[in-house]
Amino acid sequence: MKYAITLVLFIICQQVKAQVTGNLKNAGGQPVPFAKVILFDTVDSVLLKSTLTDDKGAFRLEPVGPGRYTVKISAIGYQSCTSPIFEIRGSQSFKSLGIIELKISSKQLNEVVIRADKPLVQQEAGGMVVNVQNSLLTKGSSALQVLQRSPGVIINPQNTNITLNGKAGW
């Protein structure tokens, strides 16, 4: 008898969780794949769940308890949009936002150029690397002059000895 009462109380007290679904389309009716969908609680604007749309533009967020929520959607090439506030009640197990149409963003990048410069001197596990291609002092200089300007290198022009970090070479 105790177990039956406990089971009934457990079933009554357990909150029902719902799932929130929807489908993203562009103005031409084409699906918007891999868009970011974020569920926010309207009470304190806390991010609760997030997901990406599938290749058909559909999304599903689960499990979601009772409360008032809003969904923010963003995708590359489209304007971000926020759904109206919706409520999930205790007995509700499903909330569909239907088809949401995203508007194409008017701002697009024409091209992206990524540039990187190696530092003149790099310390690596095997020793020091001098990247002479980045030095302005190498323009119009011979290899011996470039070597002479490198840190830790001493060239004695009288007997043509090269010393690297205090160690003489031959």
Side-chain angles (χ1 to χ4, degrees):
M1 182 72 174
K2 288 182 187 179
Y3 296 114
I5 293 173
T6 305
L7 181 62
V8 169
L9 286 175
F10 177 73
I11 292 172
I12 291 172
C13 294
Q14 187 176 11
Q15 285 186 349
V16 175
K17 300 285 184 174
Q19 69 178 2
V20 178
T21 62
N23 206 334
L24 300 183
K25 304 274 185 193
N26 62 17
Q30 299 296 319
V32 180
F34 312 113
K36 183 170 50 173
V37 181
I38 303 172
L39 180 73
F40 289 99
D41 188 354
T42 58
V43 174
D44 50 9
S45 299
V46 172
L47 181 147
L48 298 174
K49 299 197 179 291
S50 66
T51 189
L52 294 175
T53 58
D54 62 13
D55 56 349
K56 296 176 182 147
F59 68 89
R60 182 175 68 199
L61 296 161
E62 59 180 335
V64 179
R68 294 171 52 90
Y69 303 101
T70 186
V71 170
K72 183 174 182 181
I73 300 165
S74 60
I76 295 174
Y78 296 93
Q79 294 178 4
S80 296
C81 74
T82 303
S83 73
I85 295 173
F86 60 91
E87 187 171 0
I88 295 179
R89 302 191 195 301
S91 62
Q92 191 175 3
S93 64
F94 183 79
K95 174 64 179 175
S96 175
L97 299 179
I99 296 174
I100 300 169
E101 185 178 308
L102 293 181
K103 296 178 182 174
I104 295 176
S105 177
S106 60
K107 295 181 181 178
Q108 293 286 331
L109 292 176
N110 291 334
E111 71 178 272
V112 176
V113 178
I114 299 173
R115 294 186 184 148
D117 292 324
K118 288 185 178 179
L120 181 61
V121 179
Q122 291 176 300
Q123 186 67 39
E124 294 185 356
M128 186 184 319
V129 176
V130 178
N131 298 311
V132 294
Q133 72 270 19
N134 294 335
S135 174
L136 293 175
L137 299 175
T138 60
K139 306 297 184 226
S141 299
S142 67
L144 188 61
Q145 290 169 331
V146 170
L147 188 61
Q148 193 172 16
R149 292 185 190 118
S150 299
V153 178
I154 299 171
I155 298 178
N156 187 347
Q158 293 173 347
N159 56 7
T160 63
N161 282 342
I162 298 175
T163 304
L164 179 60
N165 290 331
K167 297 177 184 174
W170 30 300

